[in-house]
Amino acid sequence: MVIGINLIPLSKEQGTGAFRYIQLMLQQMGNYQLHDCKIIVYKQKNISERYLSIPKNLNVEYVNIPNVGTGMKRFLFEQTLFYFYLKSCDVFYSYCTSMPFFIKAKKIFTLHDVYFLTEKERYGYIQRNYLKVITKICIRICDKIFTVSNYSKNEIIKYYKVNPSKLLITYNFIIKNNYSINEVSEICDSEGNKIDLNKPFFLFVGNIHPGKNIRRMAYGFKKFNEKDNIYNLLVCGKPANGGLIILQELSMIPNVYYLGFQSRSNVEWLFRNCKAVVLVSLCEGFGIPPLEGFSYNKPALVSNTTSLPEVVGNAGVCVNPLNIDEIAAGFHKVENNAKQLSSFCNAQIDKFSPNESVEIFMRSLGLDFVRNN
């Protein structure tokens, strides 16, 4: 059996949460023996095999395509010149809505969320309608659809009237201690200024855009911190649509520092050493940063909406993301109950089993596999 894996939406070695999903899925597949299986990975030529970190024991062929970037340029390539690079396969899979429509194979993709329909401020008019149309086409032509939470599954059914039997949940998950963590003696903000790492800090990791509700998060933190000035709030990630305006406002809020994009090793160090992970998003198909914090017994402060209560369970504090006073109170609750909240971290991680998700993924691709001892 030949499986095509479409990674061409990844244009830089700064992957988003959607890429992290498929990266961990492929890494977990390395724990299995796959019978009579070849995997063809399509990637832009500037993306190194080292960065993808696909296990060496998998039978993988890499096909490099030109650096086509993102957006409409990538879409046009995908529907035209991409066919000259495509090789015969039984199943073609994409980790997002990026699919050559006329490929002759069983087609499967992952639809992480439908926030282009529900959170209009996150996307411009053209991008929102592009995603709306492309998603509708992908749903129609694909044989199976993966999504990452019960919440997202219900939203897809609601907005696209998808037959539930066509949808499968393959939860995001974490692989404990997957990265070696170097001791960090210095971390700088995006302007090159050193951060005082002796001061305790809360941590946000994710793209910078309105859907992440970073502005309210920062003002809630300011209100919580202004009396004793004990903590910093560190913000890691890349600016997306509307992100630069958000960052300008953050720069004026005391003790809030934007670190820009950090290496995976640095991010793991930050998870290990933070007080708690904060993710009070307005839109979140799953929200993996809280789970990453749980692996170091760090509790979470999250929204009481979308998928986040499903993700954090009893290991986090859930607040109204639209209410700055409630966000501030949430910081206090995490501070005062950190030990109790942390006691639920391992149980919550166990709810999102890597083996269960990857086995659903592989069975749906039609793979014959045996787990290694």
Side-chain angles (χ1 to χ4, degrees), residues 15-78:
T16 63
F19 169 71
R20 184 105 171 98
Y21 159 90
I22 188 57
Q23 184 183 43
L24 290 177
M25 198 73 76
L26 289 167
Q27 287 176 7
Q28 192 66 15
M29 286 171 64
N31 294 329
Y32 295 80
Q33 296 178 33
L34 308 183
H35 302 304
D36 190 28
C37 173
K38 179 180 180 180
I39 299 173
I40 302 175
V41 172
Y42 298 91
K43 66 181 185 67
Q44 298 193 39
K45 66 181 181 180
N46 61 307
I47 305 299
S48 66
E49 294 176 20
R50 174 201 54 79
Y51 180 74
L52 297 179
S53 302
I54 298 174
K56 299 294 185 182
N57 64 307
L58 297 179
N59 180 16
V60 177
E61 176 186 351
Y62 294 92
V63 175
N64 290 319
I65 67 156
N67 298 335
V68 294
T70 60
M72 188 56 67
K73 186 177 179 181
R74 189 204 76 210
F75 170 76
L76 291 174
F77 174 87
E78 216 163 44

Side-chain angles (χ1 to χ4, degrees), residues 9-20 51 70 95 113 122-123 127 203-215 217 234-247 250 258-262 264 267 271 278-284 287-289 292:
L10 182 68
S11 61
K12 297 179 180 179
E13 292 187 353
Q14 297 180 354
T16 63
F19 169 71
R20 184 105 171 98
Y51 180 74
T70 60
Y95 72 95
D113 58 59
R122 179 176 173 180
Y123 300 96
Q127 186 183 19
L203 178 66
F204 167 89
V205 177
N207 285 346
I208 315 300
H209 60 71
K212 294 292 186 182
N213 202 32
I214 294 167
R215 178 182 171 276
M217 173 188 71
L234 305 186
V235 176
C236 295
K238 301 180 298 181
N241 291 348
L244 295 179
I245 296 173
I246 295 169
L247 293 177
L250 288 190
Y258 174 57
L259 308 186
F261 184 86
Q262 293 286 320
R264 192 67 220 175
V267 171
F271 278 125
V278 187
L279 193 64
V280 289
S281 303
L282 301 175
C283 50
E284 207 66 63
I288 201 168
E292 294 178 306

Side-chain angles (χ1 to χ4, degrees), residues 55-296:
K56 299 294 185 182
N57 64 307
L58 297 179
N59 180 16
V60 177
E61 176 186 351
Y62 294 92
V63 175
N64 290 319
I65 67 156
N67 298 335
V68 294
T70 60
M72 188 56 67
K73 186 177 179 181
R74 189 204 76 210
F75 170 76
L76 291 174
F77 174 87
E78 216 163 44
Q79 305 307 324
T80 54
L81 297 178
F82 193 18
Y83 290 95
F84 292 102
Y85 295 84
L86 290 173
K87 301 189 176 186
S88 178
C89 63
D90 300 290
V91 180
F92 189 85
Y93 166 78
S94 181
Y95 72 95
C96 60
T97 46
S98 176
M99 180 69 64
F101 296 155
F102 303 106
I103 186 170
K104 295 180 179 179
K106 181 179 180 180
K107 293 180 277 291
I108 302 175
F109 81 112
T110 298
L111 180 54
H112 294 261
D113 58 59
V114 292
Y115 288 120
F116 49 89
L117 298 176
T118 60
E119 295 293 332
K120 293 183 178 181
E121 63 178 0
R122 179 176 173 180
Y123 300 96
Y125 177 83
I126 294 175
Q127 186 183 19
R128 188 168 66 250
N129 282 280
Y130 162 79
L131 288 171
K132 182 178 179 180
V133 172
I134 293 300
T135 302
K136 187 174 183 179
I137 294 171
C138 286
I139 287 172
R140 181 173 296 173
I141 66 173
C142 287
D143 299 272
K144 289 287 183 183
I145 305 161
F146 297 132
T147 193
V148 294
S149 65
N150 277 307
Y151 175 82
S152 287
K153 179 178 180 178
N154 291 333
E155 290 285 280
I156 294 166
I157 293 170
K158 175 182 176 181
Y159 287 98
Y160 280 104
K161 313 301 180 187
V162 178
N163 187 326
S165 65
K166 194 174 182 177
L167 278 166
L168 296 169
I169 297 176
T170 48
Y171 287 112
N172 278 301
F173 55 82
I174 61 169
I175 302 173
K176 290 185 179 180
N177 302 319
N178 191 43
Y179 286 86
S180 59
I181 303 173
N182 300 321
E183 286 303 318
V184 173
S185 59
E186 179 181 300
I187 287 183
C188 298
D189 67 14
S190 61
E191 301 297 323
N193 302 308
K194 292 182 182 179
I195 303 297
D196 181 3
L197 297 178
N198 293 315
K199 193 166 188 174
F201 60 91
F202 290 86
L203 178 66
F204 167 89
V205 177
N207 285 346
I208 315 300
H209 60 71
K212 294 292 186 182
N213 202 32
I214 294 167
R215 178 182 171 276
R216 291 189 185 93
M217 173 188 71
Y219 281 112
F221 169 77
K222 178 185 176 184
K223 188 164 188 175
F224 152 75
N225 198 49
E226 60 189 358
K227 182 179 178 181
D228 298 319
N229 192 29
I230 295 174
Y231 296 99
N232 288 335
L233 173 62
L234 305 186
V235 176
C236 295
K238 301 180 298 181
N241 291 348
L244 295 179
I245 296 173
I246 295 169
L247 293 177
Q248 288 176 1
E249 195 162 358
L250 288 190
S251 67
M252 297 182 286
I253 302 175
N255 298 98
V256 178
Y257 298 97
Y258 174 57
L259 308 186
F261 184 86
Q262 293 286 320
S263 69
R264 192 67 220 175
S265 180
N266 279 4
V267 171
E268 292 290 337
W269 186 92
L270 291 167
F271 278 125
R272 187 178 68 181
N273 290 279
C274 70
K275 179 71 175 179
V277 175
V278 187
L279 193 64
V280 289
S281 303
L282 301 175
C283 50
E284 207 66 63
F286 184 87
I288 201 168
L291 275 191
E292 294 178 306
F294 292 167
S295 68
Y296 298 106

Side-chain angles (χ1 to χ4, degrees), residues 328-342:
F331 277 104
H332 281 292
K333 288 180 182 178
V334 171
E335 179 188 38
N336 295 332
N337 300 284
K339 186 175 181 180
Q340 179 185 2
L341 294 167
S342 295

